Amino acid sequence: MINVEPGPWSPAPAPTMDEITFKSDTVLSDVHLYTPNQRHLMVRLNGMGQPVFLSQFKLLWNRDSGVKGGDVRTEETPPTDAGSPPGSGCHREDVSLQAKADTSGQEGLEAQLDEDGDLDVVRRPRAASDPSGPLRDKVHPMILTQEEDNGLGDEARESSPHDFIKIEHTMATPLEDVGKQVWRGALLLADYVLFQRDLFQGRTVLELGGGTGLASIVAATVARTVYCTDVGADLLAMCQRNVALNSHLTAAGGGVVKVKELDWLKDDLCTDPEVPFSWSEEDISDLYGHTTILLAAEVFYDDDLTDALFKTLSRLAHKLKNACTAILSVEKRLNFTLRHLDVTCEAYDHFRSCLRQLERLADGRLRFVVEPVDASFPQLLVYERIQQLELWKVFVEPVMGPVPSAGTAPRLLL
């Protein structure tokens, strides 16, 4: 019998059934799939060679509120010309069609039946000006020219600049670059900020995993200072560009967005002046001395990153001088797994487990109170608000009693 040593020419052993995994090269946000009427224009290539798109997200204003430019209304309420500011662009085609359907055909509301009792469908008369067929929505192809400044279309140019948020983003990225996309959880969090303006008025806010910066930009319309943090020079540069694109929105309320690097896997903030988006001593002092609200949206898709975020949240809470509130946005994603042979929500379940553990954490200094947020507040941005979107609040409060001598945060075992 001859023993043959395995070599580079030997075929690799076939994986067993329980070792088979499925991988996807790219991830695409549902936001981009849901907005067929939005213009996603490629404007440049980023430092990674990825195409960068420019999209607009409409704010639904109403002049009868205390918000500059008007507050917002629910998406289900059709706007009227009297209730919207001139040129606000709130009049959506689907709403106008619905309004026409509600006001027309008031006579003969009962169903028309034929002599056999079947429903008699009356065909719409063909318009004389269009003898070729029934009326259809016209399709206008978009032609890009160098003369177009922003490429956002006639609606954006005819409306007030305060009616849109312009965001540069990428699409169909690898998993490690999903922060460069816009996700529904960020839009839900932005909705909540606009709905609870008094909570954010004049505050200092820290967003963890800010991505494209959409939620931070909205928060800066009412907050005094917003620290929008993430990792990766390319992502942070895109976020900084989005802050500049929407400076007219934040300047109206006197707010400012500061884009900074914050790595959840490191205990300390980067203060090296040679590193882009590092922290100055003045910013660190302001962060720890004045922050009262922390935000995080759609960052709970990987268990290791979720663990790192909760450890960072606990560590920051023990360094802040004031009691704070963390507002977390998450989407409960359903996936079929071979391991369970069933539909599961593993990433969401791990997120909920971390919330329960955080609430049980006790060190004699702080206590964490967790509660869900009722998501029935008005929809203030145009996107698909699905039932799987959730908001959670974490109240961080000092514990009355003696403070331990150790000034470090307790270890959060996840």
Side-chain angles (χ1 to χ4, degrees):
M1 180 176 180
I2 300 176
N3 293 325
V4 180
E5 294 293 333
W9 58 85
S10 303
T16 59
M17 189 64 186
D18 57 352
E19 295 176 344
I20 294 179
T21 59
F22 295 90
K23 297 182 179 179
S24 175
D25 294 333
T26 58
V27 180
L28 177 63
S29 166
D30 292 333
V31 170
H32 311 311
L33 295 176
Y34 178 73
T35 53
N37 294 327
Q38 298 291 335
R39 294 172 181 249
H40 303 297
L41 306 184
M42 193 184 85
V43 292
R44 61 185 175 89
L45 295 178
N46 61 18
M48 306 293 293
Q50 299 166 331
V52 177
F53 297 84
L54 179 63
S55 297
Q56 59 182 359
F57 296 88
K58 183 186 292 187
L59 289 163
L60 306 177
W61 300 111
N62 186 319
R63 71 167 56 174
D64 295 329
S65 81
V67 183
K68 182 176 180 58
D71 202 348
V72 285
R73 57 170 178 80
T74 60
E75 187 178 16
E76 291 77 9
T77 305
T80 62
D81 294 338
S84 301
S88 65
C90 294
H91 192 73
R92 298 178 58 197
E93 183 179 4
D94 55 346
V95 176
S96 64
L97 291 177
Q98 181 66 39
K100 291 178 181 178
D102 292 341
T103 57
S104 62
Q106 297 299 321
E107 298 180 359
L109 294 178
E110 297 182 359
Q112 301 296 322
L113 304 179
D114 61 12
E115 57 184 10
D116 297 328
D118 299 323
L119 180 64
D120 187 10
V121 179
V122 179
R123 295 188 178 275
R124 181 178 57 184
R126 186 175 297 177
S129 60
D130 185 14
S132 60
L135 296 177
R136 292 186 175 90
D137 294 334
K138 294 182 179 180
V139 177
H140 300 281
M142 179 174 53
I143 302 175
L144 300 183
T145 63
Q146 293 182 351
E147 287 75 17
E148 289 183 297
D149 293 332
N150 54 21
L152 292 180
D154 296 334
E155 184 182 16
R157 286 192 291 268
E158 295 173 358
S159 302
S160 168
H162 289 81
D163 292 332
F164 294 94
I165 298 175
K166 293 179 287 187
I167 295 293
E168 285 194 359
H169 59 89
T170 58
M171 293 196 292
T173 64
L175 185 62
E176 59 268 20
D177 286 335
V178 293
K180 297 177 181 179
Q181 300 190 51
V182 179
W183 298 89
R184 282 184 294 219
L187 292 163
L188 178 70
L189 184 57
D191 264 349
Y192 186 75
V193 171
L194 292 173
F195 177 65
Q196 293 284 358
R197 297 181 65 88
D198 292 342
L199 176 64
F200 293 84
Q201 190 72 47
R203 301 297 185 93
T204 298
V205 179
L206 169 65
E207 183 177 9
L208 301 172
T212 61
L214 189 148
S216 287
I217 291 169
V218 171
T221 61
V222 284
R224 178 180 66 88
T225 304
V226 179
Y227 291 98
C228 182
T229 66
D230 217 309
V231 292
D234 194 61
L235 172 59
L236 293 173
M238 175 188 292
C239 182
Q240 183 66 67
R241 187 172 176 86
N242 286 330
V243 172
L245 284 172
N246 298 278
S247 59
H248 59 286
L249 295 175
T250 57
V256 60
V257 180
K258 296 186 177 183
V259 180
K260 299 293 181 180
E261 177 184 301
L262 198 158
D263 192 339
W264 304 340
L265 302 179
K266 298 179 181 179
D267 293 339
D268 299 320
L269 302 176
C270 178
T271 57
D272 186 352
E274 301 297 326
V275 177
F277 306 103
S278 61
W279 295 77
S280 67
E281 294 298 331
E282 181 182 359
D283 288 333
I284 293 177
S285 176
D286 180 56
L287 174 73
Y288 291 146
H290 299 98
T291 298
T292 55
I293 298 177
L294 291 85
L295 305 176
E298 291 282 48
V299 293
F300 308 103
Y301 55 88
D302 177 86
D303 290 355
D304 292 336
L305 289 179
T306 299
D307 293 347
L309 181 136
F310 274 93
K311 291 178 181 178
T312 300
L313 177 61
S314 175
R315 182 171 64 249
L316 289 171
H318 283 81
K319 291 184 177 181
L320 299 180
K321 294 183 179 180
N322 301 302
C324 63
T325 300
I327 306 172
L328 313 177
S329 175
V330 62
E331 181 174 338
K332 184 178 181 181
R333 291 184 170 86
L334 307 175
N335 296 290
F336 181 86
T337 62
L338 290 176
R339 182 167 67 254
H340 299 93
L341 292 178
D342 198 359
V343 175
T344 61
C345 310
E346 292 185 312
Y348 173 81
D349 292 341
H350 187 76
F351 163 76
R352 292 294 306 275
S353 174
C354 291
L355 279 180
R356 290 190 293 269
Q357 185 172 349
L358 185 67
E359 197 167 24
R360 293 194 300 266
L361 185 64
D363 67 334
R365 297 184 58 201
L366 297 177
R367 68 188 185 110
F368 299 83
V369 180
V370 179
E371 67 177 34
V373 177
D374 183 5
S376 62
F377 51 87
Q379 182 165 338
L380 317 177
L381 287 155
V382 178
Y383 66 101
E384 182 187 22
R385 186 187 288 186
I386 60 176
Q387 293 182 349
Q388 287 76 23
L389 286 173
E390 295 182 0
L391 279 179
W392 291 82
K393 272 188 178 180
V394 179
F395 300 97
V396 184
E397 303 169 346
V399 175
M400 303 302 295
V403 178
S405 58
T408 58
R411 185 179 181 185
L412 186 61
L413 301 177
L414 296 171

